[in-house]
Amino acid sequence: MLDSNKDSLKLEAMKRIVAMIARGKNASDLFPAVVKNVACKNIEVKKLVYVYLVRYAEEQQDLALLSISTFQRGLKDPNQLIRASALRVLSSIRVTIIVPIMMLAIKEAASDMSPYVRKTAAHAIPKLYSLDPEQKDQLIEVIEKLLADKTTLVAGSVVMAFEEVCPERIDLIHKNYRKLCNLLIDVEEWGQVVIINMLTRYARTQFLNPNINESLLEEGGGGEKTFYGSDEDEDEDEEEKEKKAEAAAMAKRKPYVMDPDHRLLLRNTKPLLQSRNAAVVMAVAQLYFHLAPKAEVGVIAKALVRLLRSHSEVQYVVLQNVATMTIKRRGMFEPYLKSFYIRSTDPTQIKILKLEVLTNLANETNISTILREFQTYIKSMDKDFVAATIQAIGRCATNIGEVRDTCLNGLVQLLSNRDELVVAESVVVIKKLLQMQPEKHSDIIKHMAKLTDNIQVPMARASILWLIGEYCEHVPKIAPDVLRKMAKSFTNEEDIVKLQILNLAAKLYLTNSKQTKLLTQYVLNLAKYDQNYDIRDRARFIRQLIVPTEKSGALSKYAKKLFLALKPAPVLESPFKDRDHFQLGSLSHLLNAKAGGYQELPDWPESAPDPSVRNVEVPEWTKCSSREKRKEKKVEKPFYSDSEGESGPTESADSESDSASGSESGSGSEGSGSASESEESGEVSVSEEDEGEEEEKKTKKRELKKAVQESESVRFPSLNVDFYLFLPVEPAPSPQVTPVNNLLSNSLVTDLEGLSLSEAVLALKSYELLHRITGEGLSVEYCFSRQPFSPDANMVAVQMQFTNSSTSDTKNLHMEDVKLQSGMRVKDFPEIESLPAGETATAVMGIDFCDSTQAANFQLCTHTRKFFVSIQPPVGELMRPVFLTENEFKKEQGQLMGMNEITEKLTLDAKCRNEHAIVQRVTTAANLSRVPCGSDREFAGRTVTSGSLVLVTVATREEGAAQLTINCEKMVIGTMLVKDILLALTQ
């Protein structure tokens, strides 16, 4: 079939081969027959051939090299998929001789018009670097170029290449930091994880520790005396005290102010906690844990608890990280205590991790509840889980003194359990607890001594013997008898038990030599000939220490101090205690050991690095003249040359020509500054199709437009008139607009009857720019008024409301230090000289967002303070409604098919299944105009800056089911817009 002349047979053959590969079967023998078809003209066959070659090019390098000229031709193919596939195959041939060819191909692909090809170029960079590390300098140049790419498709891949090739070149990230933060929400999930991990390490080098004041105070406050602290430690040096006092004073004197870029990262990653991808949620959680102020870390708790409903692999990783977090941030998980209760269906490793979390969360308040849970767990059939539960009880008893006796009594009761493992684990834990207060629990030691006849687990027997030897003075009658029994079974015991028998014998010889002298000599003689050299050495060592002879050294005098010295009680600690120095979510954190390729999490800098390195300079020509030049070009050569009525974006809104089919569209796309776009696009819904009524409709439109322009006292609401003129609402009293009624014809007034402009619909969404607490009494809110900004039609009008809640006047309110992305512009609001206490003032500023959702950052200044603020627009606020007839809509939609179209299926919200609700929600989410008389619900608009056309169709198929279609000249806008509209229609 591969040798056939028919493309259909070749295609069928390639489908079967790719299916074989997908099932894991070896298809390498077919390489010669497949590689011949790489030059096939059929695009579908060629795609599948490249898929095959990517899989086997490394194994069949010689044959792949014979076709390298074909791959190079593929790099010039008109189809972006073929260009990307050719580059992928080329980078899969692991032969150093073609390194120059690969380098040239990557450089060309990095400048390709298709973001998909540029993404593939980013993927090829680490492959080439691993093949020839000497190419690092040239690859860094390509990475630097791709980092400047503004496409979300490329961002994740190039950051991955950066991490593989040059993670130390942090300077490459400076200029792209803000862009990466703002693009993060739209990058694919794999890319989000990569970027978040990289930005975590970047932030640790560029920003100050947000908890620096707390850490200074902790250091200055002095710690508790260490266990091994001597009397000399009590007399602390005066210099140390002075340093700590100075640190505490400095912490109070210099309040920490978070860098705006640090805040930008935290703000832009927070929405990703709602991601459906567990890896993304974990990445954001580790970022907040390592970077956020203590007061803000709690937001990640709910998202992590939600992940516990996932499958066991996800639960395992989440619990590993939660266990680490609960050691330092216990309070944030306490409200979710019940989420960590163990289910009988949980795997053992999940049960043990949940036990770890519960133990870390235990405190005086909830310990009774947790111990009741533990009592249930001890009855489990899973022995490893039961052993872990007993250890957890021991840790709770160590950490919380109030329940120590309760836990100890409960563990003693377990000594009568039928299961040896339960008894053995209980003995080990009791031994550790008894070391804290041995004099109070001599009865328990006696009880455990009686268990030596029954317990056979070596660790448990060794623990009992150590306990009896260590506290033999508390059980003087029982200890010698235990040694007698152990001496009988010495030769049959395990090595760990034999060592403890030797220790017991030595301690009893030193404290009660009359009763145990002969027993000790007998045991030492048995050990002298033992097969294990450790036991033989220990026996010789002990004999020389406790049985003085002429040859004995000076050490024998100190035998009692050596064997009977007071030993510190063991501290039962969590195995996750010191794991937070590894980056959470990494393999090194999971293994608690540094894995290959792990990059250490940098320490916080002592002083803040220069924040200006992240400022992006905008060339003067882009600020001033680029917009005008683009306008001139658009006038000379329209985007769609075959559209008869399509007028340029600078066409006057006063044009009254109706001769061409699209003339009204042209005037509606860019209006004059005196009337809003919605007013210019006014239209009356007429369902008749004959030509006479079409003429009447156009006449009415002209009359309405003229009336609105002539009337200075009447302003329609900021939302476009098309939205209201086509609402199928119930008849209601018409609004009292006297000046317009005088100017409009009777028929037009009749058509406008029933139009209800409710205040609820007209309400514009307000956003908080400055909170009154942060602003020291000054609060600022802003909204996008959806009115044209009269000084510059390419700018979005932003209405700001200033409220002075303080007791003193605020003076000289103005803007400074505006930081914008390339191409963006801002028109400042007029300075407010004075805002009295308790008063409110409004102002309007204009921002040219350059058809992007990048934030405009600036300082809001008063006569005493400066506040860093930023305004980030929803994508719908970058739109301007434009009126299109149904025929014009279909014509424009036909020219924006294929790569310029996005289609999504959705289920409409129960409250959004009628005409009114759909139109209202779409128009609110995206400032678009409704197309009249369309078969489906159709909307049209243009972007404010470039005038790119945006067409939206909402087609309902059945009850609740619908299809959303967006045709857009700028696909970045379309991609962002589809999310907002989907959200509006489904919630």
Side-chain angles (χ1 to χ4, degrees):
M1 292 169 76
L2 290 170
D3 293 335
S4 172
N5 293 328
K6 294 183 178 180
D7 288 345
S8 59
L9 291 176
K10 290 181 180 180
L11 182 61
E12 180 63 26
M14 287 310 305
K15 285 181 179 178
R16 293 187 185 183
I17 293 169
V18 172
M20 287 170 59
I21 297 171
R23 289 196 297 271
K25 295 185 178 180
N26 186 6
S28 58
D29 294 341
L30 297 168
F31 194 92
V34 173
V35 79
K36 286 190 299 184
N37 290 289
V38 74
C40 180
K41 293 182 179 180
N42 187 293
I43 197 75
E44 296 300 325
V45 174
K46 188 177 283 191
K47 286 180 191 176
L48 295 177
V49 169
Y50 277 121
V51 170
Y52 177 90
L53 292 176
V54 168
R55 171 65 180 81
Y56 289 107
E58 190 171 352
E59 296 178 15
Q60 304 277 350
Q61 292 177 356
D62 295 338
L63 287 172
L65 284 173
L66 294 175
S67 303
I68 197 165
S69 58
T70 309
F71 304 147
Q72 288 178 285
R73 284 198 300 274
L75 294 170
K76 306 291 183 183
D77 195 277
N79 190 306
Q80 59 175 348
L81 297 177
I82 299 301
R83 296 199 301 276
S85 298
L87 178 59
R88 195 177 290 117
V89 174
L90 204 58
S91 59
S92 300
I93 304 173
R94 314 288 293 166
V95 181
T96 53
I97 196 172
I98 66 164
V99 165
I101 298 173
M102 288 172 63
M103 176 58 74
L104 185 63
I106 289 172
K107 285 183 176 179
E108 289 181 358
S111 303
D112 197 279
M113 291 180 63
S114 167
Y116 180 70
V117 178
R118 299 198 297 273
K119 178 187 179 77
T120 308
H123 287 167
I125 289 172
K127 295 182 183 178
L128 179 54
Y129 177 69
S130 65
L131 186 62
D132 186 5
E134 293 181 1
Q135 304 294 325
K136 182 174 181 177
D137 292 339
Q138 293 187 58
L139 291 175
I140 288 175
E141 292 177 7
V142 180
I143 290 172
E144 186 173 8
K145 181 178 181 180
L146 288 172
L147 278 171
D149 199 301
K150 296 182 180 179
T151 313
T152 55
L153 198 64
V154 181
S157 302
V158 68
V159 170
M160 189 65 200
F162 168 83
E163 293 280 76
E164 293 283 338
V165 177
C166 54
E168 74 284 354
R169 287 291 305 273
I170 207 76
D171 56 294
L172 299 179
I173 304 298
H174 290 325
K175 299 290 185 185
N176 302 289
Y177 172 81
R178 292 170 185 160
K179 180 195 71 177
L180 288 172
C181 288
N182 289 320
L183 289 180
L184 193 58
I185 194 74
D186 296 314
V187 177
E188 79 281 2
E189 293 164 337
W190 172 83
Q192 286 174 342
V193 175
V194 173
I195 294 173
I196 290 171
N197 287 330
M198 183 274 292
L199 290 178
T200 302
R201 289 192 297 279
Y202 176 87
R204 286 291 287 256
T205 63
Q206 299 301 310
F207 308 128
L208 291 177
N209 184 355
N211 304 306
I212 185 169
N213 287 353
E214 295 181 23
S215 60
L216 282 173
L217 287 171
E218 286 172 7
E219 291 174 10
E224 295 180 359
K225 184 180 173 184
T226 57
F227 187 90
Y228 290 100
S230 62
D231 296 335
E232 296 174 0
D233 293 335
E234 295 176 3
D235 304 324
E236 194 174 31
D237 294 338
E238 290 298 325
E239 293 181 5
E240 287 294 321
K241 290 182 179 179
E242 288 177 7
K243 285 181 181 177
K244 291 180 179 180
E246 186 180 345
M250 186 182 298
K252 294 177 181 177
R253 187 168 61 252
K254 293 184 178 180
Y256 169 77
V257 178
M258 182 176 284
D259 189 295
D261 288 326
H262 191 174
R263 173 58 61 196
L264 175 71
L265 176 60
L266 295 175
R267 185 173 63 244
N268 284 17
T269 51
K270 187 177 179 180
L272 295 178
L273 288 171
Q274 306 299 323
S275 174
R276 293 174 294 180
N277 188 294
V280 175
V281 177
M282 275 307 313
V284 177
Q286 63 87 18
L287 181 141
Y288 262 75
F289 181 77
H290 292 303
L291 301 182
K294 283 185 178 179
E296 299 180 24
V297 180
V299 299
I300 66 176
K302 187 175 182 180
L304 291 176
V305 169
R306 177 169 55 86
L307 292 181
L308 294 178
R309 303 172 193 148
S310 307
H311 51 83
S312 57
E313 287 81 0
V314 172
Q315 286 186 52
Y316 183 76
V317 178
V318 171
L319 288 168
Q320 287 266 352
N321 290 278
V322 171
T324 303
M325 292 179 186
T326 49
I327 292 171
K328 288 195 174 181
R329 302 277 194 275
R330 183 172 64 184
M332 67 190 217
F333 287 101
E334 283 181 359
Y336 306 100
L337 185 69
K338 291 184 179 179
S339 299
F340 300 103
Y341 284 177
I342 293 158
R343 302 176 181 178
S344 58
T345 54
D346 288 336
T348 302
Q349 67 269 25
I350 300 297
K351 291 178 180 177
I352 292 172
L353 282 173
K354 283 187 175 181
L355 266 179
E356 183 69 33
V357 175
L358 286 172
T359 309
N360 291 344
L361 293 177
N363 56 31
E364 292 81 355
T365 308
N366 58 27
I367 186 62
S368 58
T369 307
I370 291 176
L371 286 179
R372 280 199 298 273
E373 277 291 308
F374 287 174
Q375 286 175 0
T376 308
Y377 301 159
I378 288 171
K379 301 173 185 177
S380 171
M381 300 297 292
D382 187 342
K383 300 309 173 189
D384 293 334
F385 171 49
V386 172
T389 304
I390 294 170
Q391 292 176 12
I393 293 172
R395 276 182 53 201
C396 290
T398 305
N399 298 334
I400 305 168
E402 290 84 347
V403 296
R404 187 172 299 154
D405 292 340
T406 306
C407 293
L408 199 54
N409 293 332
L411 291 171
V412 170
Q413 291 177 9
L414 289 178
L415 296 177
S416 57
N417 195 292
R418 294 180 181 178
D419 193 293
E420 275 192 3
L421 288 173
V422 174
V423 176
E425 199 66 43
S426 302
V427 167
V428 175
V429 174
I430 289 171
K431 169 212 159 188
K432 294 177 181 178
L433 293 178
L434 287 179
Q435 283 183 258
M436 297 177 183
Q437 295 174 321
E439 65 282 353
K440 293 184 179 179
H441 303 290
S442 56
D443 292 339
I444 296 176
I445 297 174
K446 291 176 184 177
H447 180 68
M448 293 176 70
K450 297 175 183 177
L451 295 173
T452 52
D453 295 333
N454 301 324
I455 294 177
Q456 300 301 321
V457 178
M459 179 57 76
R461 290 174 69 83
S463 296
I464 293 174
L465 293 174
W466 184 92
L467 205 59
I468 294 170
E470 187 67 18
Y471 305 111
C472 56
E473 295 175 356
H474 297 288
V475 283
K477 296 181 179 179
I478 295 177
D481 199 43
V482 172
L483 179 60
R484 179 181 61 80
K485 289 184 178 180
M486 291 296 106
K488 286 183 179 180
S489 60
F490 183 86
T491 53
N492 299 322
E493 298 288 352
E494 294 288 334
D495 292 343
I496 189 173
V497 180
K498 288 179 180 178
L499 290 173
Q500 292 304 328
I501 293 173
L502 287 172
N503 286 340
L504 174 62
K507 291 173 182 177
L508 287 175
Y509 184 88
L510 293 171
T511 58
N512 188 5
S513 59
K514 290 181 180 180
Q515 285 184 286
T516 58
K517 183 176 181 181
L518 293 175
L519 268 175
T520 302
Q521 290 178 351
Y522 175 70
V523 170
L524 291 174
N525 287 332
L526 287 175
K528 183 178 179 181
Y529 300 103
D530 197 89
Q531 293 181 349
N532 188 297
Y533 58 83
D534 281 337
I535 295 169
R536 297 197 300 270
D537 289 348
R538 180 71 63 86
R540 294 190 188 100
F541 170 69
I542 290 175
R543 188 188 295 273
Q544 291 298 318
L545 278 177
I546 66 172
V547 184
T549 62
E550 295 178 358
K551 297 181 180 179
S552 297
L555 276 178
S556 61
K557 299 177 183 179
Y558 304 100
K560 281 193 175 182
K561 288 188 176 180
L562 288 172
F563 282 100
L564 301 175
L566 289 175
K567 299 173 181 63
V571 179
L572 300 178
E573 293 181 340
S574 168
F576 292 87
K577 182 180 179 183
D578 297 321
R579 284 205 199 182
D580 59 327
H581 65 278
F582 291 116
Q583 187 171 347
L584 265 64
S586 64
L587 179 62
S588 299
H589 173 263
L590 194 69
L591 301 175
N592 198 21
K594 188 174 179 179
Y598 173 73
Q599 297 176 40
E600 293 283 355
L601 195 63
D603 292 327
W604 293 102
E606 294 182 2
S607 57
D610 182 14
S612 64
V613 294
R614 290 182 290 278
N615 294 342
V616 180
E617 295 181 5
V618 182
E620 285 298 321
W621 63 270
T622 56
K623 293 180 182 176
C624 304
S625 58
S626 62
R627 201 72 62 209
E628 286 75 7
K629 289 181 180 178
R630 270 182 275 173
K631 287 185 180 181
E632 290 172 8
K633 288 181 181 178
K634 288 183 181 179
V635 173
E636 292 171 6
K637 186 177 180 181
F639 190 87
Y640 292 116
S641 57
D642 59 336
S643 178
E644 294 179 359
E646 185 71 16
S647 55
T650 56
E651 184 179 355
S652 171
D654 296 326
S655 173
E656 295 292 331
S657 172
D658 294 316
S659 57
S661 62
S663 60
E664 294 299 334
S665 169
S667 62
S669 63
E670 289 288 343
S672 66
S674 61
S676 71
E677 191 64 29
S678 60
E679 294 163 357
E680 294 165 5
S681 303
E683 177 64 349
V684 180
S685 178
V686 182
S687 59
E688 289 79 8
E689 298 179 358
D690 57 86
E691 295 180 2
E693 293 187 349
E694 282 291 331
E695 286 299 323
E696 183 181 353
K697 180 176 71 174
K698 291 178 181 179
T699 304
K700 289 178 181 179
K701 177 187 172 182
R702 287 197 300 273
E703 289 175 357
L704 177 61
K705 184 193 300 182
K706 186 175 180 182
V708 172
Q709 289 175 347
E710 291 176 358
S711 174
E712 295 181 355
S713 60
V714 178
R715 303 289 294 175
F716 272 88
S718 58
L719 294 178
N720 57 77
V721 176
D722 295 329
F723 169 68
Y724 299 107
L725 293 180
F726 297 105
L727 286 182
V729 295
E730 294 295 325
S734 58
Q736 299 299 318
V737 191
T738 309
V740 176
N741 288 343
N742 294 335
L743 293 165
L744 303 183
S745 63
N746 293 332
S747 59
L748 184 56
V749 174
T750 304
D751 290 335
L752 288 173
E753 282 181 358
L755 180 63
S756 176
L757 304 178
S758 64
E759 291 181 3
V761 174
L762 296 178
L764 295 172
K765 185 176 181 181
S766 295
Y767 303 85
E768 185 177 74
L769 187 66
L770 184 65
H771 192 271
R772 60 184 177 83
I773 296 176
T774 311
E776 299 178 356
L778 176 67
S779 62
V780 185
E781 291 186 347
Y782 68 95
C783 66
F784 299 91
S785 64
R786 296 191 176 180
Q787 296 276 8
F789 188 66
S790 54
D792 190 337
N794 287 322
M795 288 188 172
V796 175
V798 181
Q799 185 172 325
M800 306 173 70
Q801 179 171 307
F802 303 85
T803 304
N804 186 2
S805 304
S806 65
T807 55
S808 59
D809 293 358
T810 301
K811 300 178 181 179
N812 302 333
L813 267 169
H814 64 283
M815 291 169 55
E816 284 183 8
D817 194 19
V818 180
K819 297 178 181 179
L820 304 173
Q821 298 293 326
S822 177
M824 292 172 58
R825 297 176 297 129
V826 164
K827 177 68 175 175
D828 299 359
F829 62 85
E831 181 176 338
I832 300 174
E833 295 181 356
S834 178
L835 183 60
E839 294 293 323
T840 299
T842 59
V844 178
M845 65 182 292
I847 305 178
D848 180 3
F849 289 102
C850 204
D851 288 353
S852 74
T853 55
Q854 304 287 336
N857 303 298
F858 57 90
Q859 286 185 351
L860 191 62
C861 306
T862 67
H863 65 296
T864 57
R865 287 296 307 274
K866 295 182 178 181
F867 307 100
F868 289 94
V869 295
S870 64
I871 295 177
Q872 188 168 14
V875 67
E877 304 302 338
L878 306 176
M879 301 296 149
R880 177 171 294 167
V882 59
F883 174 78
L884 293 180
T885 64
E886 185 179 7
N887 292 335
E888 290 168 350
F889 182 94
K890 295 297 184 187
K891 182 177 180 181
E892 296 289 359
Q893 191 179 44
Q895 294 175 336
L896 293 174
M897 303 291 278
M899 295 293 288
N900 293 81
E901 184 176 286
I902 304 172
T903 302
E904 290 283 349
K905 292 183 179 179
L906 67 150
T907 302
L908 295 172
D909 180 48
K911 299 178 182 178
C912 182
R913 296 186 181 179
N914 58 65
E915 187 85 358
H916 181 180
I918 293 175
V919 175
Q920 178 185 348
R921 294 195 184 191
V922 173
T923 313
T924 304
N927 188 17
L928 303 175
S929 172
R930 175 76 191 277
V931 176
C933 308
S935 55
D936 295 314
R937 298 167 189 85
E938 297 164 343
F939 308 85
R942 289 186 183 276
T943 57
V944 173
T945 301
S946 63
S948 301
L949 193 63
V950 178
L951 306 176
V952 176
T953 305
V954 181
T956 50
R957 304 303 181 206
E958 55 189 42
E959 184 64 27
Q963 179 171 298
L964 172 66
T965 305
I966 294 185
N967 300 85
C968 188
E969 292 178 11
K970 280 194 173 183
M971 284 309 294
V972 177
I973 293 288
T975 305
M976 293 187 290
L977 194 60
V978 72
K979 294 182 180 179
D980 288 1
I981 296 178
L982 279 174
L983 195 64
L985 294 176
T986 55
Q987 291 188 356

